[in-house]
Amino acid sequence: MHEEPKQWIVKEDPPDATMSVGRLPSILLKLLGQRGVSGRDAIESFLNPRLKDLSDPYQLPHMEQAVERIFEAVDRGEKVLVYGDYDVDGVTSVALMRTVLEAYGVDVNIYIPKRGEEGYGLSEAAIENLLKDFGKPDLVITVDCGTASLDEIAQLGEIGVDVIVVDHHELSARGCPDCVAVVNPKLGDAFHYLCAAGVVFKLAHALLKRRRVKGFDLRDYIDMVAVATVADIVPLVEENRLLVRHGLKRLPHTENAGLQALQQVAGLSGSVTSMDVGFRIGPRINAAGRMDRPEDALSLLVEKDYDAARCLADMLDEYNRQRQTHEKQIRDEAMRMVEEQCDAKNDPVIVLGSRNWHPGVVGIVASRLMRQFYKPTFVVSIDEEGVGKGSGRSVEGVSLVGAIQACPDDLIAGGGHDMAAGLSIREEKISDFRKHFAEYVVETTSPEQRAPRMHVDAEIDFDELSLEFMDSYDLLQPFGSQNPQPVFMSRDVWLTEAPRHLKNNHLKLFLRQGICEHDAIFFGGGERSLPDPPWDVAFTIDRNTFRGRTSLQMVIQDVRAAQKI
């Protein structure tokens, strides 16, 4: 498949990139400046975040009301039900909320809706099922959902059930739900970056500040919060960065049997990075929800016995393989549809739908198509009634929320974020939506904005790449949203021998710049038609440990014929 060449955009040096701070390399100061971090105190706080710098949890909206109502339930011995979402953030939030409540002696029931049958968030079907399964609770605590569930929360209120919402999603245009408390940063002016597990962590901190529990240390659960924060792709800034940095350090030594087992199944030993969470741990937890078995992921995270946890981790691993099989089938069929139905070079958007596709993996396929073709993409799974559920992924400068709002007559419902969104649509409306979505993109962007591009953080020479440089570079971690892994470029690079083809169309490259040589991996590079050397190469760097030997590895992002400066 032909891939459009990317425009390389090299970021400018920040104003104080040449300042001196300790022994930090100048290129590291440049990378910090690009992230808005400058000045000695800010740099020290960014590179060495401390748990004691966590802010007062009572700064969050409605925290006081939530704490008072929970302790009322504790003291009265009330029945409490925790209701959560089926993704990583939702399941970890449920696990942490349940653990904290049980530490106070609360009788806790759990309800996580089935993606296929009940959909996201509170729904009439889910309320009917939970009342049937558990009877009427005194208090429902929703985590990672509930902010926009005004009607459903009113329905619970009518039968005498109190509700506390612990969430991080946007408010409905109709306002805030009428309930005991909505502990959601979006109601205030700070902490908007927190995922749901981060908000639950804050609620737990507030409870423990008011009433300690002997033998319960909230720091033991930072690893779980870190997994949720990375997997939910929320900004790794301020307290998120602090929680993830310390949580990743804790993961290799975690006391959580489920996280121990997951790391074993994922082939992790030793240090764990945000990439490991994003590509190895998170997908296995998510796979349970995608296969409509979120309760298995929850069971894993609250299991105390390692052998039982290992059985559950193996089960999640199998779900993940099933998810990968579904994904490959959909991706292959979607690629054929792009070739047969679309002008991949000129069409401004991709919108595909099929009755053969599993709804749990359309978002992953949309993401892959978006990256390959650099176009805003929706992939829709259509059920037997002709109703489609779609997931969208966007490119820089195109708001999917704006697109959804611009096409109200084509959709049943839709919402989400600028870069990732979901929608419901009738099968017969997909063609109209594709047309109107394309019109919206053309009207709101220029051809230059729609052209594939790649941002390069800094130019670096091969002789600067060393394990000593990696030691300083690692202080920038964890990488993720709003702190992306830096992309470097080097000019006038030659091959020392022919590329070695690996499985899955990956390439092993042996590169030389001047007299310095480095090996590199180019994932999917075997599908590319590479120019004749010399090259300019764009790449990220990682540590690679093989047979006890650690080296710096370049991971190629793009290659172009060398350009004169």
Side-chain angles (χ1 to χ4, degrees):
M1 177 66 64
H2 174 71
E3 186 170 311
E4 285 293 301
K6 294 184 178 71
Q7 177 188 4
W8 293 17
I9 301 171
V10 182
K11 296 178 182 177
E12 296 181 0
D13 287 353
D16 53 358
T18 57
M19 69 178 287
S20 175
V21 178
R23 297 183 178 181
L24 295 179
S26 59
I27 195 167
L28 190 69
L29 294 173
K30 173 178 178 175
L31 296 172
L32 286 165
Q34 290 170 348
R35 286 153 175 74
V37 182
S38 61
R40 293 179 186 275
D41 291 344
I43 288 173
E44 172 62 25
S45 176
F46 184 90
L47 297 181
N48 299 293
R50 301 172 299 178
L51 283 173
K52 70 177 185 178
D53 292 332
L54 283 170
S55 59
D56 183 355
Y58 285 94
Q59 293 179 30
L60 278 167
H62 294 195
M63 185 65 83
E64 187 75 42
Q65 297 95 310
V67 168
E68 287 182 5
R69 182 62 184 88
I70 289 172
F71 281 140
E72 193 176 295
V74 171
D75 296 336
R76 292 179 177 177
E78 292 181 342
K79 286 176 59 179
V80 178
L81 183 138
V82 176
Y83 185 107
D85 190 21
Y86 37 68
D87 68 357
V88 178
D89 191 21
V91 173
T92 50
S93 296
V94 169
L96 180 55
M97 193 74 252
R98 168 179 155 170
T99 301
V100 172
L101 292 171
E102 288 183 339
Y104 284 105
V106 176
D107 174 20
V108 185
N109 286 316
I110 299 297
Y111 197 91
I112 301 177
K114 294 282 199 298
R115 178 193 293 260
E117 300 170 18
E118 298 164 319
Y120 165 76
L122 277 172
S123 66
E124 285 191 25
I127 291 172
E128 182 180 332
N129 289 334
L130 74 84
L131 292 172
K132 187 191 308 177
D133 291 347
F134 301 110
K136 184 167 78 75
D138 299 299
L139 173 65
V140 169
I141 302 175
T142 71
V143 294
D144 199 26
C145 61
T147 300
S149 303
L150 279 68
D151 294 336
E152 292 79 8
I153 288 174
Q155 180 184 341
L156 287 170
E158 287 171 4
I159 61 171
V161 178
D162 284 347
V163 178
I164 294 172
V165 173
V166 185
D167 194 11
H168 71 130
H169 290 97
E170 299 290 340
L171 273 72
S172 162
R174 295 164 56 198
C176 200
D178 182 12
C179 58
V180 172
V182 181
V183 185
N184 183 333
K186 299 292 168 56
L187 270 68
D189 299 323
F191 309 109
H192 285 197
Y193 49 78
L194 288 173
C195 68
V199 182
V200 172
F201 182 88
K202 286 286 193 183
L203 174 56
H205 188 192
L207 290 165
L208 291 162
K209 283 190 75 167
R210 188 69 54 84
R211 191 184 298 185
R212 291 183 178 276
V213 177
K214 187 176 181 181
F216 188 92
D217 190 340
L218 191 56
R219 288 174 297 185
D220 292 341
Y221 302 91
I222 285 181
D223 44 20
M224 198 185 296
V225 177
V227 167
T229 302
V230 171
D232 215 48
I233 321 179
V234 289
L236 293 190
V237 298
E238 299 182 36
E239 292 194 15
N240 274 356
R241 174 176 172 77
L242 190 161
L243 291 168
V244 172
R245 170 72 79 86
H246 287 273
L248 292 179
K249 281 183 182 178
R250 192 175 190 88
L251 263 175
H253 321 289
T254 183
E255 296 180 8
N256 184 292
L259 291 178
Q260 288 175 23
L262 264 185
Q263 290 175 83
Q264 287 290 319
V265 166
L268 296 171
S269 59
S271 62
V272 178
T273 68
S274 53
M275 298 288 281
D276 293 325
V277 172
F279 291 98
R280 297 193 189 186
I281 295 174
R284 286 172 167 84
I285 299 174
N286 253 336
R290 295 186 187 281
M291 296 295 109
D292 272 346
R293 296 287 301 178
E295 63 273 15
D296 293 333
L298 176 64
S299 296
L300 174 77
L301 293 177
V302 298
E303 180 57 60
K304 300 289 194 295
D305 178 73
Y306 177 79
D307 291 336
R310 180 56 195 256
C311 290
L312 287 163
D314 288 337
M315 194 181 300
L316 265 58
D317 195 47
E318 175 58 29
Y319 292 152
N320 196 46
R321 280 193 286 271
Q322 294 174 23
R323 186 270 304 170
Q324 290 170 330
T325 299
H326 286 306
E327 179 194 334
K328 185 178 186 307
Q329 291 170 346
I330 296 176
R331 189 172 71 247
D332 291 347
E333 186 176 343
M335 289 297 296
R336 287 194 296 271
M337 292 172 71
V338 170
E339 292 174 357
E340 295 168 1
Q341 303 175 16
C342 305
D343 181 346
K345 183 174 182 179
N346 297 313
D347 288 351
V349 303
I350 294 172
V351 179
L352 303 172
S354 172
R355 293 197 175 206
N356 299 326
W357 295 347
H358 192 290
V361 295
V362 290
I364 302 172
V365 176
S367 182
R368 288 183 179 273
L369 292 176
M370 178 275 295
R371 288 198 301 271
Q372 176 155 356
F373 296 103
Y374 200 80
K375 297 179 189 296
T377 299
F378 274 97
V379 177
V380 184
S381 166
I382 305 164
D383 66 18
E384 295 177 355
E385 305 297 322
V387 176
K389 291 183 178 178
S391 283
R393 300 294 184 271
S394 195
V395 299
E396 182 183 347
V398 177
S399 166
L400 294 185
V401 172
I404 287 169
Q405 292 171 346
C407 305
D409 296 337
D410 300 330
L411 305 174
I412 299 170
H417 306 285
D418 288 341
M419 302 301 286
L423 56 77
S424 299
I425 186 171
R426 297 288 317 176
E427 184 175 18
E428 63 270 17
K429 283 287 192 176
I430 289 177
S431 179
D432 289 341
F433 173 65
R434 182 187 297 114
K435 177 185 176 212
H436 296 141
F437 182 23
E439 290 172 352
Y440 167 82
V441 170
V442 170
E443 289 169 2
T444 57
T445 61
S446 67
E448 292 75 23
Q449 287 175 306
R450 297 194 295 275
R453 70 186 79 177
M454 180 182 63
H455 293 282
V456 175
D457 292 89
E459 187 172 338
I460 193 169
D461 292 330
F462 273 23
D463 60 6
E464 297 178 76
L465 298 173
S466 65
L467 288 177
E468 183 179 13
F469 175 72
M470 282 294 300
D471 290 338
S472 298
Y473 171 86
D474 282 343
L475 294 173
L476 292 173
Q477 300 220 43
F479 297 126
S481 174
Q482 294 193 25
N483 185 36
Q485 187 170 16
V487 176
F488 299 106
M489 71 169 287
S490 293
R491 299 180 185 271
D492 207 26
V493 173
W494 297 80
L495 287 168
T496 61
E497 60 180 88
R500 187 178 301 167
H501 287 259
L502 309 176
K503 65 179 182 178
N504 298 322
N505 280 321
H506 305 326
L507 292 180
K508 179 74 176 286
L509 301 177
F510 307 90
L511 305 176
R512 173 179 60 81
Q513 184 193 51
I515 62 172
C516 292
E517 297 182 2
H518 283 288
D519 295 349
I521 186 79
F522 190 178
F523 294 113
E527 299 174 355
R528 293 277 300 275
S529 177
L530 299 177
D532 292 330
W535 294 339
D536 294 337
V537 294
F539 57 94
T540 57
I541 57 175
D542 288 309
R543 291 180 188 270
N544 181 43
T545 301
F546 183 68
R547 293 178 179 173
R549 179 176 172 268
T550 300
S551 60
L552 181 148
Q553 178 173 266
M554 299 170 58
V555 181
I556 301 297
Q557 304 299 311
D558 199 14
V559 171
R560 70 183 185 189
Q563 298 184 2
K564 292 184 179 180
I565 303 176

